[in-house]
Amino acid sequence: EAPRIHITETGNKTETKRLPIALIIGVKKGGTRAVLEYLRLHPDIVAPGPEPHFFDTHYTKGFEWYRNLMPETEEGQLTIEKTPSYFVTKGIPQKVYEMSKKTKLIVVLRDPVMRAISDYAQIAARNPEVKPFSEIVFENYDSYTVDTRRAIVKVGVYALHLTRWLEYFTLNQIHIVNGENLIRDPASELRDLQTFIGVKPHITGEHFTFNITKGFPCYRRNTSQQSWHCLSDDKGRPHPNVSSLVRSKLANFYRPFNHRLYLMTGKHFDWT
Ligand code: A3P
């Protein structure tokens, strides 16, 4: 357990900031914001809203700096955070291990082809001058050779990133959320997540509604109130048209890595 310093008294409750016991480490565009916001519906889970980027950007500032970013917790509450770049950044598994070798790791995975298209939609929303998708992911457009140096491609090679985490953590410390199922059936993913984190089951189907207009689940904190929240419009953006040929060439590239992921985790995904 993290050291108890900076104790503040609020009424008769003792509150203190603690280092996270669980991290949502990735993947970018997998559905990480949805998982964080859903978990924050649990009364025993607290998390900062923004991504701390401690292990990749601010590590030299030290653990006290990191701990200070966390919300206050009461006795029995658990702290988590999400920074999706952790999953793919070299050197981070060791740093997290040094914080605590008991840290629980959550990875939200989604069909890597769809993940790349989603990543591209985000890049294009921020920079309308961006090159077409196919010119970024293929090194040679005539032979459809995938450009493996591109971050947009590399993130989706899940098995390679996971291998680096398994040098420091065991498989049962790593929980994989199925990003497609998270949209179809958030309650079932949340049931498994609550078990993994070790909190009593609180978040259920009553916390979710499928919003037809948005095409995604929206959620409520209080199941006796009709106050539904949806993620912001930059989650669930329209995707650009990517031809089925381009998709299938990219899928062929990812297929052996996906297969390795199934062998490593025993989890099967319905990715093409
Ligand atoms: P798209 O924007 O491509 O649809 P992240 O939070 O890791 O950036 O992931 C964003 C993705 O979360 C979205 O990608 C969307 O598919 C997925 N998602 C899952 N649940 C969602 C929800 N309730 N609302 C909006 N997007 C959701």
Side-chain angles (χ1 to χ4, degrees), residues 157-186:
V157 187
Y158 303 144
L160 295 187
H161 304 299
L162 188 61
T163 303
R164 290 186 296 98
W165 285 90
L166 289 172
E167 288 169 21
Y168 290 90
F169 295 92
T170 61
L171 207 49
N172 55 24
Q173 286 175 275
I174 304 174
H175 180 82
I176 296 176
V177 176
N178 179 320
E180 284 85 16
N181 196 46
L182 182 70
I183 296 167
R184 270 192 309 264
D185 186 3

PDB file of all heavy atoms in Angstrom, residues 157-186:
ATOM      1  N   VAL A 157       0.237  -4.008 -33.161  1.00  0.00           N
ATOM      2  CA  VAL A 157       0.948  -5.289 -33.060  1.00  0.00           C
ATOM      3  C   VAL A 157       0.955  -5.680 -31.569  1.00  0.00           C
ATOM      4  O   VAL A 157       1.970  -5.688 -30.899  1.00  0.00           O
ATOM      5  CB  VAL A 157       2.376  -5.170 -33.657  1.00  0.00           C
ATOM      6  CG1 VAL A 157       3.058  -6.517 -33.718  1.00  0.00           C
ATOM      7  CG2 VAL A 157       2.314  -4.572 -35.067  1.00  0.00           C
ATOM      8  N   TYR A 158      -0.244  -6.022 -31.099  1.00  0.00           N
ATOM      9  CA  TYR A 158      -0.466  -6.184 -29.659  1.00  0.00           C
ATOM     10  C   TYR A 158       0.446  -7.226 -29.018  1.00  0.00           C
ATOM     11  O   TYR A 158       0.935  -7.037 -27.910  1.00  0.00           O
ATOM     12  CB  TYR A 158      -1.932  -6.544 -29.387  1.00  0.00           C
ATOM     13  CG  TYR A 158      -2.943  -5.558 -29.927  1.00  0.00           C
ATOM     14  CD1 TYR A 158      -4.165  -5.995 -30.437  1.00  0.00           C
ATOM     15  CD2 TYR A 158      -2.683  -4.193 -29.929  1.00  0.00           C
ATOM     16  CE1 TYR A 158      -5.108  -5.097 -30.928  1.00  0.00           C
ATOM     17  CE2 TYR A 158      -3.614  -3.285 -30.425  1.00  0.00           C
ATOM     18  CZ  TYR A 158      -4.824  -3.744 -30.924  1.00  0.00           C
ATOM     19  OH  TYR A 158      -5.743  -2.860 -31.410  1.00  0.00           O
ATOM     20  N   ALA A 159       0.675  -8.351 -29.722  1.00  0.00           N
ATOM     21  CA  ALA A 159       1.453  -9.446 -29.129  1.00  0.00           C
ATOM     22  C   ALA A 159       2.868  -8.986 -28.763  1.00  0.00           C
ATOM     23  O   ALA A 159       3.404  -9.389 -27.722  1.00  0.00           O
ATOM     24  CB  ALA A 159       1.511 -10.637 -30.082  1.00  0.00           C
ATOM     25  N   LEU A 160       3.458  -8.141 -29.587  1.00  0.00           N
ATOM     26  CA  LEU A 160       4.828  -7.690 -29.297  1.00  0.00           C
ATOM     27  C   LEU A 160       4.867  -6.797 -28.063  1.00  0.00           C
ATOM     28  O   LEU A 160       5.760  -6.923 -27.220  1.00  0.00           O
ATOM     29  CB  LEU A 160       5.421  -6.940 -30.501  1.00  0.00           C
ATOM     30  CG  LEU A 160       5.634  -7.748 -31.775  1.00  0.00           C
ATOM     31  CD1 LEU A 160       6.385  -6.928 -32.815  1.00  0.00           C
ATOM     32  CD2 LEU A 160       6.398  -9.039 -31.490  1.00  0.00           C
ATOM     33  N   HIS A 161       3.901  -5.920 -27.932  1.00  0.00           N
ATOM     34  CA  HIS A 161       3.871  -5.044 -26.752  1.00  0.00           C
ATOM     35  C   HIS A 161       3.604  -5.870 -25.492  1.00  0.00           C
ATOM     36  O   HIS A 161       4.254  -5.683 -24.465  1.00  0.00           O
ATOM     37  CB  HIS A 161       2.810  -3.962 -26.911  1.00  0.00           C
ATOM     38  CG  HIS A 161       2.983  -3.145 -28.152  1.00  0.00           C
ATOM     39  ND1 HIS A 161       4.111  -2.396 -28.394  1.00  0.00           N
ATOM     40  CD2 HIS A 161       2.186  -2.983 -29.239  1.00  0.00           C
ATOM     41  CE1 HIS A 161       3.991  -1.796 -29.576  1.00  0.00           C
ATOM     42  NE2 HIS A 161       2.835  -2.141 -30.107  1.00  0.00           N
ATOM     43  N   LEU A 162       2.662  -6.790 -25.614  1.00  0.00           N
ATOM     44  CA  LEU A 162       2.322  -7.621 -24.452  1.00  0.00           C
ATOM     45  C   LEU A 162       3.532  -8.438 -23.975  1.00  0.00           C
ATOM     46  O   LEU A 162       3.736  -8.607 -22.766  1.00  0.00           O
ATOM     47  CB  LEU A 162       1.151  -8.548 -24.807  1.00  0.00           C
ATOM     48  CG  LEU A 162       0.547  -9.333 -23.651  1.00  0.00           C
ATOM     49  CD1 LEU A 162      -0.024  -8.396 -22.580  1.00  0.00           C
ATOM     50  CD2 LEU A 162      -0.552 -10.271 -24.149  1.00  0.00           C
ATOM     51  N   THR A 163       4.342  -8.914 -24.923  1.00  0.00           N
ATOM     52  CA  THR A 163       5.541  -9.683 -24.567  1.00  0.00           C
ATOM     53  C   THR A 163       6.439  -8.869 -23.625  1.00  0.00           C
ATOM     54  O   THR A 163       6.984  -9.407 -22.659  1.00  0.00           O
ATOM     55  CB  THR A 163       6.315 -10.058 -25.852  1.00  0.00           C
ATOM     56  OG1 THR A 163       5.422 -10.784 -26.698  1.00  0.00           O
ATOM     57  CG2 THR A 163       7.532 -10.904 -25.554  1.00  0.00           C
ATOM     58  N   ARG A 164       6.575  -7.575 -23.886  1.00  0.00           N
ATOM     59  CA  ARG A 164       7.426  -6.752 -23.024  1.00  0.00           C
ATOM     60  C   ARG A 164       6.845  -6.626 -21.615  1.00  0.00           C
ATOM     61  O   ARG A 164       7.579  -6.635 -20.638  1.00  0.00           O
ATOM     62  CB  ARG A 164       7.643  -5.369 -23.648  1.00  0.00           C
ATOM     63  CG  ARG A 164       8.528  -5.421 -24.900  1.00  0.00           C
ATOM     64  CD  ARG A 164       8.866  -4.043 -25.441  1.00  0.00           C
ATOM     65  NE  ARG A 164       7.675  -3.339 -25.897  1.00  0.00           N
ATOM     66  CZ  ARG A 164       6.996  -2.428 -25.186  1.00  0.00           C
ATOM     67  NH1 ARG A 164       7.419  -2.060 -23.990  1.00  0.00           N
ATOM     68  NH2 ARG A 164       5.918  -1.873 -25.665  1.00  0.00           N
ATOM     69  N   TRP A 165       5.527  -6.557 -21.506  1.00  0.00           N
ATOM     70  CA  TRP A 165       4.898  -6.487 -20.173  1.00  0.00           C
ATOM     71  C   TRP A 165       5.054  -7.801 -19.420  1.00  0.00           C
ATOM     72  O   TRP A 165       5.197  -7.817 -18.196  1.00  0.00           O
ATOM     73  CB  TRP A 165       3.423  -6.088 -20.295  1.00  0.00           C
ATOM     74  CG  TRP A 165       3.278  -4.624 -20.609  1.00  0.00           C
ATOM     75  CD1 TRP A 165       3.220  -4.065 -21.857  1.00  0.00           C
ATOM     76  CD2 TRP A 165       3.249  -3.544 -19.679  1.00  0.00           C
ATOM     77  NE1 TRP A 165       3.135  -2.688 -21.742  1.00  0.00           N
ATOM     78  CE2 TRP A 165       3.146  -2.348 -20.432  1.00  0.00           C
ATOM     79  CE3 TRP A 165       3.286  -3.463 -18.279  1.00  0.00           C
ATOM     80  CZ2 TRP A 165       3.091  -1.088 -19.823  1.00  0.00           C
ATOM     81  CZ3 TRP A 165       3.216  -2.208 -17.685  1.00  0.00           C
ATOM     82  CH2 TRP A 165       3.125  -1.047 -18.446  1.00  0.00           C
ATOM     83  N   LEU A 166       5.053  -8.908 -20.187  1.00  0.00           N
ATOM     84  CA  LEU A 166       5.144 -10.224 -19.534  1.00  0.00           C
ATOM     85  C   LEU A 166       6.556 -10.523 -19.026  1.00  0.00           C
ATOM     86  O   LEU A 166       6.765 -11.518 -18.330  1.00  0.00           O
ATOM     87  CB  LEU A 166       4.654 -11.324 -20.485  1.00  0.00           C
ATOM     88  CG  LEU A 166       3.137 -11.316 -20.731  1.00  0.00           C
ATOM     89  CD1 LEU A 166       2.744 -12.305 -21.821  1.00  0.00           C
ATOM     90  CD2 LEU A 166       2.363 -11.606 -19.437  1.00  0.00           C
ATOM     91  N   GLU A 167       7.517  -9.660 -19.347  1.00  0.00           N
ATOM     92  CA  GLU A 167       8.845  -9.817 -18.739  1.00  0.00           C
ATOM     93  C   GLU A 167       8.804  -9.413 -17.262  1.00  0.00           C
ATOM     94  O   GLU A 167       9.677  -9.782 -16.485  1.00  0.00           O
ATOM     95  CB  GLU A 167       9.877  -8.944 -19.480  1.00  0.00           C
ATOM     96  CG  GLU A 167      10.231  -9.485 -20.865  1.00  0.00           C
ATOM     97  CD  GLU A 167      11.044  -8.473 -21.669  1.00  0.00           C
ATOM     98  OE1 GLU A 167      11.660  -7.561 -21.079  1.00  0.00           O
ATOM     99  OE2 GLU A 167      11.035  -8.607 -22.916  1.00  0.00           O
ATOM    100  N   TYR A 168       7.819  -8.620 -16.875  1.00  0.00           N
ATOM    101  CA  TYR A 168       7.742  -8.123 -15.491  1.00  0.00           C
ATOM    102  C   TYR A 168       6.474  -8.545 -14.760  1.00  0.00           C
ATOM    103  O   TYR A 168       6.459  -8.560 -13.536  1.00  0.00           O
ATOM    104  CB  TYR A 168       7.849  -6.588 -15.478  1.00  0.00           C
ATOM    105  CG  TYR A 168       9.234  -6.128 -15.853  1.00  0.00           C
ATOM    106  CD1 TYR A 168       9.574  -5.884 -17.183  1.00  0.00           C
ATOM    107  CD2 TYR A 168      10.221  -5.996 -14.871  1.00  0.00           C
ATOM    108  CE1 TYR A 168      10.861  -5.498 -17.527  1.00  0.00           C
ATOM    109  CE2 TYR A 168      11.503  -5.610 -15.206  1.00  0.00           C
ATOM    110  CZ  TYR A 168      11.818  -5.361 -16.538  1.00  0.00           C
ATOM    111  OH  TYR A 168      13.089  -4.995 -16.869  1.00  0.00           O
ATOM    112  N   PHE A 169       5.411  -8.833 -15.511  1.00  0.00           N
ATOM    113  CA  PHE A 169       4.131  -9.150 -14.866  1.00  0.00           C
ATOM    114  C   PHE A 169       3.609 -10.495 -15.361  1.00  0.00           C
ATOM    115  O   PHE A 169       3.917 -10.904 -16.484  1.00  0.00           O
ATOM    116  CB  PHE A 169       3.106  -8.041 -15.155  1.00  0.00           C
ATOM    117  CG  PHE A 169       3.486  -6.720 -14.548  1.00  0.00           C
ATOM    118  CD1 PHE A 169       4.225  -5.793 -15.278  1.00  0.00           C
ATOM    119  CD2 PHE A 169       3.147  -6.411 -13.241  1.00  0.00           C
ATOM    120  CE1 PHE A 169       4.607  -4.572 -14.719  1.00  0.00           C
ATOM    121  CE2 PHE A 169       3.519  -5.196 -12.665  1.00  0.00           C
ATOM    122  CZ  PHE A 169       4.252  -4.279 -13.410  1.00  0.00           C
ATOM    123  N   THR A 170       2.819 -11.156 -14.522  1.00  0.00           N
ATOM    124  CA  THR A 170       2.235 -12.424 -14.955  1.00  0.00           C
ATOM    125  C   THR A 170       0.905 -12.138 -15.666  1.00  0.00           C
ATOM    126  O   THR A 170       0.309 -11.071 -15.481  1.00  0.00           O
ATOM    127  CB  THR A 170       1.950 -13.354 -13.755  1.00  0.00           C
ATOM    128  OG1 THR A 170       0.999 -12.684 -12.902  1.00  0.00           O
ATOM    129  CG2 THR A 170       3.214 -13.651 -12.973  1.00  0.00           C
ATOM    130  N   LEU A 171       0.486 -13.124 -16.443  1.00  0.00           N
ATOM    131  CA  LEU A 171      -0.737 -12.953 -17.217  1.00  0.00           C
ATOM    132  C   LEU A 171      -1.948 -12.664 -16.324  1.00  0.00           C
ATOM    133  O   LEU A 171      -2.843 -11.924 -16.717  1.00  0.00           O
ATOM    134  CB  LEU A 171      -0.964 -14.212 -18.060  1.00  0.00           C
ATOM    135  CG  LEU A 171      -1.755 -14.058 -19.342  1.00  0.00           C
ATOM    136  CD1 LEU A 171      -1.261 -12.909 -20.209  1.00  0.00           C
ATOM    137  CD2 LEU A 171      -1.716 -15.365 -20.122  1.00  0.00           C
ATOM    138  N   ASN A 172      -1.943 -13.239 -15.119  1.00  0.00           N
ATOM    139  CA  ASN A 172      -3.141 -12.969 -14.295  1.00  0.00           C
ATOM    140  C   ASN A 172      -3.134 -11.590 -13.626  1.00  0.00           C
ATOM    141  O   ASN A 172      -4.089 -11.219 -12.964  1.00  0.00           O
ATOM    142  CB  ASN A 172      -3.456 -14.104 -13.314  1.00  0.00           C
ATOM    143  CG  ASN A 172      -2.300 -14.442 -12.428  1.00  0.00           C
ATOM    144  OD1 ASN A 172      -1.428 -13.594 -12.212  1.00  0.00           O
ATOM    145  ND2 ASN A 172      -2.275 -15.665 -11.925  1.00  0.00           N
ATOM    146  N   GLN A 173      -2.069 -10.818 -13.869  1.00  0.00           N
ATOM    147  CA  GLN A 173      -2.086  -9.408 -13.438  1.00  0.00           C
ATOM    148  C   GLN A 173      -2.535  -8.491 -14.565  1.00  0.00           C
ATOM    149  O   GLN A 173      -2.562  -7.271 -14.407  1.00  0.00           O
ATOM    150  CB  GLN A 173      -0.676  -8.974 -13.030  1.00  0.00           C
ATOM    151  CG  GLN A 173      -0.227  -9.532 -11.698  1.00  0.00           C
ATOM    152  CD  GLN A 173       1.215  -9.144 -11.450  1.00  0.00           C
ATOM    153  OE1 GLN A 173       2.134  -9.819 -11.901  1.00  0.00           O
ATOM    154  NE2 GLN A 173       1.410  -8.042 -10.762  1.00  0.00           N
ATOM    155  N   ILE A 174      -2.773  -9.091 -15.733  1.00  0.00           N
ATOM    156  CA  ILE A 174      -3.142  -8.293 -16.904  1.00  0.00           C
ATOM    157  C   ILE A 174      -4.548  -8.684 -17.339  1.00  0.00           C
ATOM    158  O   ILE A 174      -4.811  -9.855 -17.620  1.00  0.00           O
ATOM    159  CB  ILE A 174      -2.140  -8.535 -18.061  1.00  0.00           C
ATOM    160  CG1 ILE A 174      -0.711  -8.241 -17.589  1.00  0.00           C
ATOM    161  CG2 ILE A 174      -2.509  -7.683 -19.281  1.00  0.00           C
ATOM    162  CD1 ILE A 174       0.388  -8.568 -18.593  1.00  0.00           C
ATOM    163  N   HIS A 175      -5.445  -7.719 -17.358  1.00  0.00           N
ATOM    164  CA  HIS A 175      -6.828  -8.007 -17.765  1.00  0.00           C
ATOM    165  C   HIS A 175      -7.094  -7.356 -19.116  1.00  0.00           C
ATOM    166  O   HIS A 175      -6.887  -6.159 -19.284  1.00  0.00           O
ATOM    167  CB  HIS A 175      -7.809  -7.481 -16.721  1.00  0.00           C
ATOM    168  CG  HIS A 175      -9.230  -7.754 -17.074  1.00  0.00           C
ATOM    169  ND1 HIS A 175      -9.825  -8.972 -16.818  1.00  0.00           N
ATOM    170  CD2 HIS A 175     -10.155  -6.992 -17.690  1.00  0.00           C
ATOM    171  CE1 HIS A 175     -11.073  -8.927 -17.250  1.00  0.00           C
ATOM    172  NE2 HIS A 175     -11.296  -7.735 -17.789  1.00  0.00           N
ATOM    173  N   ILE A 176      -7.547  -8.177 -20.050  1.00  0.00           N
ATOM    174  CA  ILE A 176      -7.835  -7.649 -21.382  1.00  0.00           C
ATOM    175  C   ILE A 176      -9.332  -7.402 -21.523  1.00  0.00           C
ATOM    176  O   ILE A 176     -10.150  -8.286 -21.261  1.00  0.00           O
ATOM    177  CB  ILE A 176      -7.324  -8.617 -22.471  1.00  0.00           C
ATOM    178  CG1 ILE A 176      -5.789  -8.707 -22.359  1.00  0.00           C
ATOM    179  CG2 ILE A 176      -7.740  -8.136 -23.867  1.00  0.00           C
ATOM    180  CD1 ILE A 176      -5.158  -9.698 -23.296  1.00  0.00           C
ATOM    181  N   VAL A 177      -9.668  -6.180 -21.897  1.00  0.00           N
ATOM    182  CA  VAL A 177     -11.056  -5.841 -22.177  1.00  0.00           C
ATOM    183  C   VAL A 177     -11.263  -5.961 -23.684  1.00  0.00           C
ATOM    184  O   VAL A 177     -10.453  -5.465 -24.464  1.00  0.00           O
ATOM    185  CB  VAL A 177     -11.383  -4.400 -21.712  1.00  0.00           C
ATOM    186  CG1 VAL A 177     -12.811  -4.001 -22.091  1.00  0.00           C
ATOM    187  CG2 VAL A 177     -11.162  -4.259 -20.215  1.00  0.00           C
ATOM    188  N   ASN A 178     -12.317  -6.637 -24.081  1.00  0.00           N
ATOM    189  CA  ASN A 178     -12.661  -6.776 -25.493  1.00  0.00           C
ATOM    190  C   ASN A 178     -13.382  -5.481 -25.921  1.00  0.00           C
ATOM    191  O   ASN A 178     -14.504  -5.219 -25.516  1.00  0.00           O
ATOM    192  CB  ASN A 178     -13.567  -8.004 -25.650  1.00  0.00           C
ATOM    193  CG  ASN A 178     -14.012  -8.223 -27.079  1.00  0.00           C
ATOM    194  OD1 ASN A 178     -14.325  -7.280 -27.800  1.00  0.00           O
ATOM    195  ND2 ASN A 178     -14.054  -9.476 -27.487  1.00  0.00           N
ATOM    196  N   GLY A 179     -12.677  -4.678 -26.718  1.00  0.00           N
ATOM    197  CA  GLY A 179     -13.180  -3.355 -27.096  1.00  0.00           C
ATOM    198  C   GLY A 179     -14.476  -3.391 -27.888  1.00  0.00           C
ATOM    199  O   GLY A 179     -15.304  -2.482 -27.750  1.00  0.00           O
ATOM    200  N   GLU A 180     -14.674  -4.430 -28.679  1.00  0.00           N
ATOM    201  CA  GLU A 180     -15.928  -4.552 -29.446  1.00  0.00           C
ATOM    202  C   GLU A 180     -17.071  -4.906 -28.493  1.00  0.00           C
ATOM    203  O   GLU A 180     -18.158  -4.322 -28.567  1.00  0.00           O
ATOM    204  CB  GLU A 180     -15.819  -5.628 -30.541  1.00  0.00           C
ATOM    205  CG  GLU A 180     -15.013  -5.216 -31.767  1.00  0.00           C
ATOM    206  CD  GLU A 180     -13.506  -5.416 -31.625  1.00  0.00           C
ATOM    207  OE1 GLU A 180     -13.091  -6.148 -30.700  1.00  0.00           O
ATOM    208  OE2 GLU A 180     -12.741  -4.835 -32.410  1.00  0.00           O
ATOM    209  N   ASN A 181     -16.795  -5.835 -27.586  1.00  0.00           N
ATOM    210  CA  ASN A 181     -17.838  -6.232 -26.633  1.00  0.00           C
ATOM    211  C   ASN A 181     -18.177  -5.115 -25.652  1.00  0.00           C
ATOM    212  O   ASN A 181     -19.296  -5.031 -25.158  1.00  0.00           O
ATOM    213  CB  ASN A 181     -17.403  -7.494 -25.882  1.00  0.00           C
ATOM    214  CG  ASN A 181     -18.565  -8.163 -25.200  1.00  0.00           C
ATOM    215  OD1 ASN A 181     -19.626  -8.334 -25.810  1.00  0.00           O
ATOM    216  ND2 ASN A 181     -18.404  -8.503 -23.922  1.00  0.00           N
ATOM    217  N   LEU A 182     -17.203  -4.253 -25.389  1.00  0.00           N
ATOM    218  CA  LEU A 182     -17.424  -3.108 -24.496  1.00  0.00           C
ATOM    219  C   LEU A 182     -18.546  -2.215 -25.032  1.00  0.00           C
ATOM    220  O   LEU A 182     -19.274  -1.599 -24.263  1.00  0.00           O
ATOM    221  CB  LEU A 182     -16.122  -2.304 -24.387  1.00  0.00           C
ATOM    222  CG  LEU A 182     -16.120  -1.099 -23.465  1.00  0.00           C
ATOM    223  CD1 LEU A 182     -16.187  -1.537 -22.002  1.00  0.00           C
ATOM    224  CD2 LEU A 182     -14.883  -0.239 -23.708  1.00  0.00           C
ATOM    225  N   ILE A 183     -18.684  -2.158 -26.358  1.00  0.00           N
ATOM    226  CA  ILE A 183     -19.739  -1.349 -26.975  1.00  0.00           C
ATOM    227  C   ILE A 183     -21.057  -2.136 -26.987  1.00  0.00           C
ATOM    228  O   ILE A 183     -22.112  -1.621 -26.651  1.00  0.00           O
ATOM    229  CB  ILE A 183     -19.326  -0.920 -28.404  1.00  0.00           C
ATOM    230  CG1 ILE A 183     -18.086  -0.012 -28.319  1.00  0.00           C
ATOM    231  CG2 ILE A 183     -20.482  -0.224 -29.132  1.00  0.00           C
ATOM    232  CD1 ILE A 183     -17.389   0.234 -29.633  1.00  0.00           C
ATOM    233  N   ARG A 184     -20.973  -3.438 -27.314  1.00  0.00           N
ATOM    234  CA  ARG A 184     -22.174  -4.302 -27.385  1.00  0.00           C
ATOM    235  C   ARG A 184     -22.781  -4.541 -26.022  1.00  0.00           C
ATOM    236  O   ARG A 184     -23.986  -4.472 -25.838  1.00  0.00           O
ATOM    237  CB  ARG A 184     -21.774  -5.671 -27.953  1.00  0.00           C
ATOM    238  CG  ARG A 184     -21.848  -5.845 -29.439  1.00  0.00           C
ATOM    239  CD  ARG A 184     -21.714  -7.331 -29.779  1.00  0.00           C
ATOM    240  NE  ARG A 184     -20.564  -7.979 -29.147  1.00  0.00           N
ATOM    241  CZ  ARG A 184     -19.382  -8.164 -29.749  1.00  0.00           C
ATOM    242  NH1 ARG A 184     -19.185  -7.741 -30.984  1.00  0.00           N
ATOM    243  NH2 ARG A 184     -18.399  -8.785 -29.127  1.00  0.00           N
ATOM    244  N   ASP A 185     -21.921  -4.846 -25.056  1.00  0.00           N
ATOM    245  CA  ASP A 185     -22.401  -5.310 -23.757  1.00  0.00           C
ATOM    246  C   ASP A 185     -21.474  -4.799 -22.646  1.00  0.00           C
ATOM    247  O   ASP A 185     -20.708  -5.572 -22.058  1.00  0.00           O
ATOM    248  CB  ASP A 185     -22.433  -6.849 -23.777  1.00  0.00           C
ATOM    249  CG  ASP A 185     -23.063  -7.435 -22.536  1.00  0.00           C
ATOM    250  OD1 ASP A 185     -23.536  -6.659 -21.672  1.00  0.00           O
ATOM    251  OD2 ASP A 185     -23.082  -8.679 -22.426  1.00  0.00           O
ATOM    252  N   PRO A 186     -21.536  -3.482 -22.377  1.00  0.00           N
ATOM    253  CA  PRO A 186     -20.607  -2.914 -21.383  1.00  0.00           C
ATOM    254  C   PRO A 186     -20.717  -3.591 -20.011  1.00  0.00           C
ATOM    255  O   PRO A 186     -19.701  -3.789 -19.328  1.00  0.00           O
ATOM    256  CB  PRO A 186     -20.988  -1.437 -21.317  1.00  0.00           C
ATOM    257  CG  PRO A 186     -22.312  -1.310 -21.979  1.00  0.00           C
ATOM    258  CD  PRO A 186     -22.430  -2.446 -22.948  1.00  0.00           C
TER     259      PRO A 186
END
